[in-house]
Amino acid sequence: MNIIHQLRELAERYDIEEMDKLVESLSPTQLEAYKEDIIGTYDMVYSYGAYDLDCDKVSNPEDFIFYLLGIIDSIQRFFPDRPYYQERGYCYQNLASRAQAVEDKVRYIQEAIHIYNIAPQTTDIQMSMVRALTDRMVITGQFTTEAFTELLYYFRPVLNDTSFIRALIHQCFRVRSLPFAQNHYWHNRLLREFEGAMYLLAEKKPLVYLDWAETYHYMLFHDSTDIDEEYKSQMVDQTASLLQPLESYYTEDAELLNRLGKAFADTARRLQETDLKLAYYWLSVQFFTKGHEQQPAAWTFPVYATNSLLEIAHIYHEQGTYEKLINTFEHGLQLFSQVYQHEEDFHLNLYWGNFLVAYSGQAYDYKSASINRLAEEKLQLAAVLGRNFYSQPYLSMARLAIKSGNTEKCVQLLLQCREAIRSNGYTAYDLDEVLKDEDFREVWDQLK
């Protein structure tokens, strides 16, 4: 049997001991000939193991980390020229975070810092050092000027590497959450360094602004309790400012167009000032539409664009600008109709139907027979394409029925929904979401 095939079979069983025996049995010539394949196989086991550790999928984390260190030891025993500083440091940082005794935590984090200190100083290593130095402050409770001066020494070189924008921002906000009196001072100190470097980099690489804005959106979405509401409001205003240079950004990269569209939509969703909110929603529609031009068969771009259009329509509805409201919904219907093979996609028909329900409700108080009929057609098709695994098409049709005054039809659709979902084995399904929805209060008693 091929040696590498045998090695990979052992790797699939995480059997490092037998892998070592197999590699030890090789001659120097074989060892050199298969070097990259052997290292790659050990690396694969280490990577899978590190992923399981990060996802808390291992039963005894400390023992497992020593197992990972053993993999690195095996590679270096056979191939001493492979240093693995990053991986060793990662293991010791994890040991420091998981150890129970403070003296063990200190010993492990000191070992990680030592490894990073002797390693060639790449930005990967320097960013890891920043994290490790912060870990040491947390473990020891020593948030001193000296400690932060050392942290800044490693923090500053990383500012020239745009691949670490997200990590740098999270580091700034991690410092803000640390339990010591000067946490906001050092947060601002780090953030000012970060901002100064990013504005310079963005002069040549405007997409720096996008990475920056996306990271702020992520933090706002997860609603960190360490950030007060006033500061969150400032972050929203800053994301709007960061995106301004990207308003007319040209690209034909569909993935990038999606990111741009989402960034403008996310910012618009959090803005308070109505005119800017509308402007950023419309910009998101433009980027999503451009993305659809690049991938005309995808359902995602028209759905994302029409989600923004729904928000725009809601604003026009509140303003009472009826003509703009109608034009916005018609714009959305045009986008839906341009998707190739749209009759075959569950998601597209579901969103299309819901868009029509919203159109009927906001523009005609659910009294447009033609729009209601088209909405039901799309939702019926979604129900068929969903093969009775999804309740949403039925619930949307039921909502349209009760809103348009047909209570009997609403009840029929909801009962049909319950039977459809149960037919796929979900026998406990009981329309719980409907029984919590005030729109359906009138029919609750008929569903029990």
Side-chain angles (χ1 to χ4, degrees), residues 129-165:
M129 179 67 101
V130 167
R131 295 188 183 105
L133 291 171
T134 309
D135 289 346
R136 184 172 66 181
M137 283 190 260
V138 173
I139 291 167
T140 62
Q142 296 177 11
F143 303 102
T144 63
T145 299
E146 182 182 2
F148 275 102
T149 300
E150 184 179 12
L151 186 150
L152 272 168
Y153 176 80
Y154 292 97
F155 183 85
R156 285 174 175 141
V158 186
L159 295 171
N160 296 315
D161 190 336
T162 56
S163 66
F164 285 98
I165 290 173

Side-chain angles (χ1 to χ4, degrees), residues 28-267:
T29 303
Q30 289 175 311
L31 203 61
E32 183 61 30
Y34 296 126
K35 178 178 180 178
E36 295 306 321
D37 287 322
I38 294 169
I39 292 173
T41 306
Y42 276 104
D43 282 347
M44 178 185 69
V45 180
Y46 176 90
S47 297
Y48 288 165
Y51 177 81
D52 287 344
L53 180 67
D54 287 339
C55 296
D56 292 322
K57 293 182 177 180
V58 297
S59 56
N60 193 325
E62 288 189 56
D63 287 349
F64 192 77
I65 293 168
F66 284 111
Y67 166 78
L68 294 178
L69 284 167
I71 296 173
I72 297 170
D73 289 339
S74 292
I75 301 172
Q76 293 188 310
R77 185 166 77 253
F78 301 124
F79 307 104
D81 60 321
R82 298 298 175 107
Y84 286 88
Y85 295 109
Q86 189 86 39
E87 292 79 5
R88 280 193 181 277
Y90 161 86
C91 286
Y92 280 104
Q93 275 188 268
N94 264 281
L95 283 170
S97 70
R98 296 171 189 273
Q100 297 300 312
V102 173
E103 56 268 27
D104 289 335
K105 287 178 173 290
V106 172
R107 178 163 53 88
Y108 290 139
I109 199 62
Q110 283 296 132
E111 181 63 22
I113 289 170
H114 170 70
I115 291 167
Y116 295 141
N117 192 44
I118 64 174
Q121 292 301 294
T122 64
T123 49
D124 280 311
I125 290 293
Q126 289 161 335
M127 191 69 233
S128 294
M129 179 67 101
V130 167
R131 295 188 183 105
L133 291 171
T134 309
D135 289 346
R136 184 172 66 181
M137 283 190 260
V138 173
I139 291 167
T140 62
Q142 296 177 11
F143 303 102
T144 63
T145 299
E146 182 182 2
F148 275 102
T149 300
E150 184 179 12
L151 186 150
L152 272 168
Y153 176 80
Y154 292 97
F155 183 85
R156 285 174 175 141
V158 186
L159 295 171
N160 296 315
D161 190 336
T162 56
S163 66
F164 285 98
I165 290 173
R166 291 170 174 79
L168 289 164
I169 292 173
H170 282 288
Q171 174 63 29
C172 293
F173 280 87
R174 183 186 181 193
V175 168
R176 184 182 175 88
S177 70
L178 295 178
F180 72 112
Q182 290 185 301
N183 59 350
H184 284 199
Y185 167 79
W186 283 108
H187 162 76
N188 288 324
R189 180 82 178 272
L190 292 172
L191 193 60
R192 295 295 84 78
E193 297 251 359
F194 169 81
E195 290 177 342
M198 292 306 110
Y199 282 124
L200 286 175
L201 290 172
E203 291 178 3
K204 294 182 178 179
K205 297 180 178 179
L207 291 178
V208 163
Y209 291 130
L210 180 59
D211 289 334
W212 189 347
E214 285 177 329
T215 308
Y216 272 18
H217 286 313
Y218 175 87
M219 299 174 79
L220 290 164
F221 177 80
H222 288 280
D223 197 24
S224 172
T225 55
D226 299 318
I227 309 173
D228 58 81
E229 291 304 317
E230 183 179 357
Y231 199 99
K232 288 176 182 177
S233 179
Q234 294 175 24
M235 291 170 68
V236 171
D237 291 340
Q238 189 170 10
T239 58
S241 175
L242 293 172
L243 292 176
Q244 191 173 1
L246 301 176
E247 290 179 6
S248 57
Y249 189 87
Y250 179 80
T251 179
E252 294 185 358
D253 183 321
E255 182 180 351
L256 181 52
L257 288 163
N258 182 55
R259 288 177 60 199
L260 286 161
K262 188 176 185 303
F264 277 97
D266 286 343
T267 302

Side-chain angles (χ1 to χ4, degrees), residues 294-327:
Q294 305 305 311
Q295 295 184 348
W299 64 267
T300 50
F301 285 112
V303 165
Y304 298 157
T306 51
N307 283 344
S308 289
L309 289 171
L310 280 172
E311 298 294 340
I312 293 168
H314 179 70
I315 294 171
Y316 289 152
H317 184 260
E318 288 186 333
Q319 292 178 338
T321 50
Y322 186 77
E323 185 176 352
K324 289 182 179 179
L325 174 70
I326 297 294
N327 289 339

